[in-house]
Amino acid sequence: MTSTEFSELQRTIGQLRHCVGALRARYGDVPAVQRLTNDLERIDIDAGDLVAAPVTPAPRVPVFAETEVVHIPDTPYDPALWHGADDEGVGGYQR
């Protein structure tokens, strides 16, 4: 995070703190305002953590090789595979 980005983040957190303060003045210390205050403190702590120890994102690893081709045969499946299975949405298996 660059210093400009961090400054903008701190400015925005300050504006949010001002808004939560206005809500507290209007509604008092109700649970919703307490949760907003707690969330705001957590955002401030997390922003500070980003500056203290910048984290480099892990490289994205695909689940399978992008060049891997999966061949699906055109032959029908073995009917025994479906023996006893319900037809969902059709009313279930009738005995």
Side-chain angles (χ1 to χ4, degrees):
M1 178 179 288
T2 65
S3 62
T4 305
E5 291 171 332
F6 183 70
S7 297
E8 177 67 18
L9 179 60
Q10 288 299 100
R11 186 187 65 75
T12 305
I13 290 172
Q15 288 176 334
L16 186 56
R17 191 176 308 280
H18 176 74
C19 292
V20 170
L23 288 172
R24 178 176 283 118
R26 181 172 182 171
Y27 295 105
D29 205 24
V30 296
V33 173
Q34 290 175 354
R35 285 192 301 271
L36 286 171
T37 303
N38 187 33
D39 292 344
L40 179 59
E41 292 304 317
R42 188 69 225 165
I43 289 171
D44 199 19
I45 290 169
D46 289 343
D49 288 348
L50 282 175
V51 172
V55 178
T56 55
R60 182 181 165 274
V61 178
V63 176
F64 59 91
E66 292 180 11
T67 58
E68 180 181 350
V69 176
V70 177
H71 294 282
I72 301 174
D74 290 333
T75 58
Y77 289 109
D78 180 11
L81 177 68
W82 307 110
H83 180 71
D86 287 345
D87 281 333
E88 294 183 19
V90 182
Y93 181 68
Q94 305 294 324
R95 294 185 186 225

